């Protein structure tokens, strides 16, 4: 049995989908034939969701970087793998061919080896969006070290927690990172994160901004020196060589921390073969990628979108991936459109929050920009509202580019539900149909499948019935946490934490999280995490955090805070609280609104009734539902009256 790897028509999608469900092992084995293996698998899939245990391509041996780089060299060595557009448009663009990428990744691998990094060791990467970040990731993968990339906006405390959880011994960072007009002092944040740390032995520092940094003898070393030394070691007779580590299909490839409904972020673990195959297959099919096209994903590699759809998916497909260091509004709100025009970008993949923010500048920043190279547009990270969808379609795609609305999560590795560009129909604000191999199901609170009685649209909690190759394998160091978070809510199902609608044609529309997780500007933040951070402030007794609709961010953060002591200046106290949250988590978690309250609506058993707080934050002051179970119903009126 053989399937066409790249789906060309709606009929082919239907056929591939049917086969992938009826014979998943044969389907994925056929897709896996398109990759380079040191040894083929013994068994395509073993799984049960009880433990959970999921193994794809067990027994197979490979190295992901041989698939992302080496196998393209003979035919496409001089093709650009990465195009790097710097923060400052005046600075030189860097074009990294597959040959050059190969050399750099071999150098990084050698550098890591020289510093004692071995297969299975955890390497924390805290860098800005420079090509060296991609080299660092792939260098780890080449020697089998497990990378844990931390987004450059996280605080020292967040890094410290992640370093400890992963027991990381190595860090790769930059002196600083450019972000619009700002310089983020990354190395200095790392220094703070390392106070009291007992595991980290080496910090490799890449020079980007030339801001002064401290360098501790015996611990901190310069990337440039190490890379130069490594270069001499890997060059033999004019050829570049660094033997890639042979990995088992199920060896971990990376850890990526993400927020959940509890206070502590989880280290989501993805493994080599399944992750590679799934990101590659979804990249090629969702964007309908054609060889030679220029593909631009605006995400940061600190998030899963950057891992899967800047680095691993595109490079394993031999694509040209454009990497951008800056922000959409610097030096002006035409930055994305300049980049599209300058590099003749064919595929643009961005987030609704970016679209909404750029919409606010009107169409002036688009004037004089030639966007005619664009063929496909994509959206990721949160539900795209119809207004943003139409603006994107009309002003950017000029009504001739399909928009793919891609639903997925850190835990899923790649896209699970999306239309396929130009192949399956789009429907504004609907993610539409599942990818081949993906079996969604909507369930009610008791885990019972919601079945339509007529041709009506149904609603429920979005689960998956069976594993796809990119499914989360474990949460680092705590498998039970993985089970309780994703596989225990409903028996025999993976639970996404999202609610969804399904129409009579089988299209899905994601309605948002049904747990205590917020999605702020496409970034996942747990309410408990923000509450913990607010509660660290000396004057705070208790807090409750909820989301509310925000025009640009999608969701804003609304905090209700009980103070133990009121200072003369409430506004200053608010600023102190914001600063505290920035220090504990990072600026991305700062509440948009802080309301000081006398009490929180609690039941007699002490449970906060968040439903009421959510409604008040949303401005829905009537119909708060039954408040008779509250210990002190009068606090509700007070909160309502002082609403911000
Ligand atoms: O709520 C969903 C939302 O983002 C969550 C996953 O966040 P994260 O793991 O950080 O990954 C973001 C990049 C994939 C989901 O649980 N989400 C993501 N994509 C969409 C979405 N909501 C609606 N529509 C989407 N296309």
């Amino acid at each position: 049995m053989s399937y066409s790897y790249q789906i060309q028509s709606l009929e082919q999608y239907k056929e591939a989908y049917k086969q992938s469900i009826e014979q998943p092992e044969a389907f994925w084995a056929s897709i896996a034939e398109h990759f380079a293996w040191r040894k083929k698998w013994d068994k395509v899939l073993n799984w049960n969701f009880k433990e959970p245990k999921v193994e794809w391509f067990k027994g197979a041996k490979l190295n992901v970087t041989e698939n992302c780089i080496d196998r393209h060299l003979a035919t496409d060595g001089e093709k650009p793998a990465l195009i790097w557009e710097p923060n400052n448009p005046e600075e030189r663009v860097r074009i990294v061919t597959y040959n050059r990428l190969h050399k750099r990744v071999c150098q990084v691998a050698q550098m890591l080896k020289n510093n004692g990094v071995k297969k299975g060791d955890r390497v924390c990467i805290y860098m800005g969006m420079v090509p060296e970040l991609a080299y660092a990731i792939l260098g780890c993968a080449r020697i089998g070290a497990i990378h844990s990339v931390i987004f450059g906006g996280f605080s020292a405390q967040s890094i410290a927690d992640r370093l400890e959880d992963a027991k990381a011994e190595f860090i790769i960072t930059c002196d600083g990172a450019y972000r619009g007009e700002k310089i983020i002092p990354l190395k200095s944040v790392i220094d703070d994160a390392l106070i009291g740390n007992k595991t980290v032995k080496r910090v490799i520092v890449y020079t980007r901004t030339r801001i002064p940094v401290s360098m501790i003898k015996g611990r901190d070393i310069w990337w440039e020196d190490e890379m130069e030394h490594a270069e001499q070691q890997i060059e033999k007779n004019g050829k570049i060589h660094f033997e890639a580590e042979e990995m088992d299909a199920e060896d971990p490839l990376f850890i990526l921390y993400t927020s959940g409904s509890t206070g502590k972020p989880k280290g989501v673990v993805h493994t080599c073969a399944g992750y590679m195959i799934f990101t590659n297959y979804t990249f090629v099919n969702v964007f309908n990628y054609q060889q030679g096209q220029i593909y631009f994903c605006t995400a940061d590699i600190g998030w899963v979108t950057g891992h899967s759809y800047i680095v691993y998916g595109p490079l394993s497909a031999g694509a040209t991936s454009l990497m951008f260091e800056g922000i959409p509004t610097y030096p002006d709100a035409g930055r994305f459109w300049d980049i599209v025009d300058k590099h003749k970008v064919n595929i643009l993949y961005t987030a609704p929050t970016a679209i909404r923010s750029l919409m606010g500048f009107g169409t002036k920043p688009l004037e004089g920009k030639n966007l005619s190279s664009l063929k496909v547009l994509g959206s990721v990270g949160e539900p795209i509202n119809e207004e943003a969808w139409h603006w994107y379609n009309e002003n950017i795609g000029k009504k001739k580019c399909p928009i793919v609305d891609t639903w997925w999560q850190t835990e899923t590795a790649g896209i699970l539900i999306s239309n396929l560009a130009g192949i399956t129909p789009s429907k504004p604000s609907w993610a539409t149909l599942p990818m081949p191999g993906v079996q969604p199901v909507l369930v009610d609170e008791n885990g019972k499948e919601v079945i339509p009685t007529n041709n009506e649209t149904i609603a429920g909690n979005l689960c998956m019935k069976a594993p796809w190759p990119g499914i989360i394998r474990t949460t680092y160091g705590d498998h039970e946490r993985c089970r309780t978070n994703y596989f225990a809510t409903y028996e025999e199902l993976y639970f996404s934490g999202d609610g969804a609608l399904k129409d009579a044609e089988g299209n899905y529309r994601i309605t948002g999280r049904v747990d205590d997780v917020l999605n702020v500007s496409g970034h996942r933040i747990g309410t408990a995490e923000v509450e913990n951070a607010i509660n660290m402030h000396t004057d705070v007794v208790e807090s409750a955090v909820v989301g509310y609709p925000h025009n640009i961010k999608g969701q804003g953060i609304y905090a209700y805070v009980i103070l133990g002591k009121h200072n003369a200046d409430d506004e200053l106290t608010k600023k102190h609280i914001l600063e505290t949250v920035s220090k504990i988590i990072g600026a991305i978690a700062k509440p948009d609104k802080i309301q000081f309250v006398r009490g929180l609506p609690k039941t007699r058993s002490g449970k906060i009734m968040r439903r009421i707080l959510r409604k008040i934050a949303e401005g829905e002051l009537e119909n708060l539902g039954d408040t008779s179970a509250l210990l002190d119903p009068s606090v509700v009126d007070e909160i309502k009256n002082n609403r911000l």
Side-chain angles (χ1 to χ4, degrees), residues 305 381-383 405-410 498 510 513 519 524:
T305 307
E382 50 172 319
D405 179 355
T406 63
W407 175 81
W408 57 294
Q409 310 177 294
T410 304
D498 280 330
I510 314 304
R513 303 288 305 193
N519 191 326
R524 234 159 102 171

Side-chain angles (χ1 to χ4, degrees), residues 384-386 428-432 499-502 507-511:
I384 177 163
N385 49 310
E386 289 204 29
S429 83
W430 288 67
T432 75
L501 303 175
K502 182 183 181 186
N507 293 305
Y508 289 86
R509 176 184 189 148
I510 314 304
T511 47

